[in-house]
Amino acid sequence: MLSIEDALGRIKKAITMSKTSETVTLKNALGRILSESAYAPINSPYERNAAMDGYAFSSSDVTIGRAFSLSLIGASWAGRPFDGLLQAGQCIRIFTGAVVPAGADSVIMQEQVECDGQYIYFPVDTVAGEHVRAVGEDIQQGSLLIVAPKKINAIDLGLLASAGISEVTVKRPIKVAFFSTGDELTELGKPLSSGQIYDSNRYALHGLLNDINYTVTDMGVIRDDKKLLEENFIEASKNNDVIITTGGASVGEADYVKEILNKCGEVDFWKIAIKPGKPLAFGKIGDCIFFGLPGNPVAVIVTFQYIVSPALNYLLGTKQTNSVKLTATCTSTLKKACGRQEYQRGILTQDDAGNYFVSSSGKQGSNIMKSLSQANCYIVLPVACEGIQTGERVFVDLIPSTEWL
Ligand code: AMP
Ligand code: MG
């Protein structure tokens, strides 16, 4: 069995990063993957401007340790600059964001001066050169703003807009088709007959694949029928970058996924030393990446997070985002056998001093969805671990999109 690190290494090797890009307007760029680094076409600030409401003056009018007065000759408003030139002995009223006129190099806060309508009286402790934002102090023209590839967030939108950039080049979304396999699966809305269960995996995958960078096709349920599986695999591989199936990946009599993948494409590996999620067929049909996930619902979600999601990120050329490792004190006793890396469902809390504690969220069978739904993290137990006693330190990974309890 492959370790998860080796499995991810083989996936990375098998995947060619998508090169196709498209140009989108800034508002449509949120969450997309920037594919060409963005450079600043202008300086920001574009012109010198005031950081405070006050009065703009020249430092040559200041004598250290002496109060002085200057005649007030006009005003510079944000969006309405003063159009004259400041001479010796003069100052102007200025507001935050307004252009600092030629001849001035300093702004004093309005609270620090006295005004009689004609003259402004500056105090002894007036400081030269303050409260003026320099040209290019935030962004210099021609400088690198955002390095590609990067998932564009709200802050990036603000940064790009401040440099006047209205369009960016981003990765084309990747096409993902998914379906469930199994004779026992029933669609929602129909009553269950004996031997049947509801197809929950497709709903979880629908949620897991809800990302602006994926164009998703839900291909429904395929029966445990070799011919049907083959036809669907081949059809899906023609129009998609990635196929994800659930069920039929194990070694039971009706588990055909690996066999059919081998027939119409190639199997790279089909077992990983993790729990849940051991039977996982990874391979390719032509250029299409194939993931045959296990059938058990918890295994589907765990393998999606730890295997499929990083692979989709490789394909898009981004790094995985949830890579921060946390450690916590375990307040439950955890059973574990040596041999596989386990992802046990846990509830992570933090005390007032900032210390993390984690407890088991319940039964750990790979069919038990409720304990996963009640969890906010996985307790990650390494291959060699043979169980955890109360009070031991453990690694935890947050489950994306869950809430703190
Ligand atoms: P399999 O890998 O096909 O042997 O499936 C393993 C377990 O997962 C069995 O108990 C299946 O009934 C269950 N299972 C398979 N597919 C689904 C699905 N789409 N939704 C819920 N449970 C499933
Ligand atoms: Mg099955």
Side-chain angles (χ1 to χ4, degrees):
M1 269 194 288
L2 278 180
S3 70
I4 183 147
E5 293 79 15
D6 290 344
L8 287 172
R10 282 167 77 152
I11 289 170
K12 204 169 181 176
K13 241 172 143 184
I15 286 178
T16 314
M17 201 188 292
S18 147
K19 293 241 159 48
T20 37
S21 300
E22 58 194 18
T23 300
V24 293
T25 61
L26 206 53
K27 270 194 181 170
N28 290 318
L30 186 64
R32 301 291 298 270
I33 312 300
L34 189 71
S35 62
E36 283 173 20
S37 295
Y39 292 85
I42 56 162
N43 284 310
S44 177
Y46 189 60
E47 297 168 279
R48 294 187 312 159
N49 67 72
M52 289 285 175
D53 293 327
Y55 295 86
F57 62 99
S58 165
S59 58
S60 58
D61 283 325
V62 180
T63 310
I64 298 294
R66 274 235 304 263
F68 61 100
S69 61
L70 300 173
S71 79
L72 181 63
I73 60 149
S76 183
W77 303 75
R80 247 192 303 146
F82 174 71
D83 54 8
L85 179 70
L86 225 56
Q87 309 285 353
Q90 297 179 335
C91 68
I92 58 157
R93 183 80 171 105
I94 198 162
F95 300 96
T96 305
V99 172
V100 175
D105 64 359
S106 309
V107 170
I108 189 163
M109 274 161 59
Q110 61 193 27
E111 295 84 345
Q112 286 184 263
V113 300
E114 299 289 330
C115 174
D116 68 5
Q118 252 189 315
Y119 284 90
I120 303 299
Y121 299 91
F122 290 70
V124 181
D125 56 359
T126 298
V127 180
E130 268 201 328
H131 308 313
V132 176
R133 298 167 175 162
V135 170
E137 123 186 334
D138 183 8
I139 299 163
Q140 279 185 312
Q141 186 173 21
S143 67
L144 188 54
L145 277 183
I146 305 177
V147 181
K150 191 197 175 200
K151 190 173 223 171
I152 298 170
N153 62 26
I155 299 165
D156 298 326
L157 293 187
L159 176 69
L160 292 162
S162 73
I165 294 175
S166 60
E167 289 184 335
V168 285
T169 305
V170 295
K171 288 277 169 74
R172 168 181 74 73
I174 50 180
K175 293 185 211 146
V176 184
F178 67 97
F179 50 85
S180 299
T181 71
D183 286 342
E184 75 278 38
L185 302 178
T186 297
E187 297 268 351
L188 294 187
K190 293 187 181 155
L192 286 178
S193 45
S194 176
Q196 300 287 300
I197 59 167
Y198 285 119
D199 172 13
S200 62
N201 287 344
R202 255 180 336 113
Y203 287 84
L205 279 176
H206 167 81
L208 291 164
L209 289 164
N210 180 17
D211 186 308
I212 194 167
N213 295 295
Y214 311 147
T215 304
V216 175
T217 311
D218 180 345
M219 294 181 59
V221 176
I222 320 270
R223 301 283 149 218
D224 289 319
D225 176 300
K226 292 191 195 183
K227 194 161 160 283
L228 276 179
L229 287 168
E230 186 176 346
E231 282 167 14
N232 278 281
F233 285 11
I234 291 171
E235 191 51 38
S237 73
K238 287 182 194 154
N239 309 314
N240 291 284
D241 302 302
V242 179
I243 298 173
I244 302 170
T245 67
T246 67
S250 194
V251 290
E253 293 288 308
D255 293 335
Y256 303 133
V257 169
K258 180 178 153 239
E259 181 187 331
I260 304 301
L261 175 60
N262 206 18
K263 189 169 172 208
C264 51
E266 58 209 77
V267 178
D268 189 318
F269 62 80
W270 61 284
K271 264 187 184 177
I272 311 180
I274 58 174
K275 185 179 177 183
K278 179 170 75 172
L280 188 152
F282 170 71
K284 273 179 159 184
I285 302 173
D287 286 332
C288 181
I289 306 289
F290 186 99
F291 291 99
L293 304 187
N296 276 305
V298 176
V300 169
I301 292 166
V302 169
T303 52
F304 187 93
Q305 180 178 349
Y306 285 98
I307 305 285
V308 179
S309 177
L312 297 178
N313 285 333
Y314 293 150
L315 206 53
L316 284 164
T318 62
K319 294 195 193 79
Q320 200 169 13
T321 45
N322 55 327
S323 55
V324 176
K325 282 256 169 287
L326 296 178
T327 56
T329 303
C330 193
T331 57
S332 310
T333 308
L334 307 177
K335 278 200 230 153
K336 158 133 185 2
C338 178
R340 288 196 267 165
Q341 175 145 303
E342 282 194 20
Y343 302 91
Q344 297 205 6
R345 285 142 259 174
I347 298 170
L348 184 69
T349 53
Q350 195 176 30
D351 69 11
D352 291 343
N355 303 303
Y356 289 116
F357 295 90
V358 68
S359 60
S360 170
S361 71
K363 289 185 199 148
Q364 297 290 324
S366 60
N367 58 325
I368 308 284
M369 277 298 276
K370 200 167 149 197
S371 64
L372 180 54
S373 135
Q374 288 170 341
N376 63 357
C377 71
Y378 297 113
I379 306 169
V380 184
L381 303 177
V383 175
C385 168
E386 290 185 323
I388 294 292
Q389 298 301 317
T390 305
E392 281 189 65
R393 301 284 293 170
V394 289
F395 277 111
V396 297
D397 285 342
L398 293 176
I399 300 176
S401 79
T402 56
E403 284 164 21
W404 283 85
L405 301 172

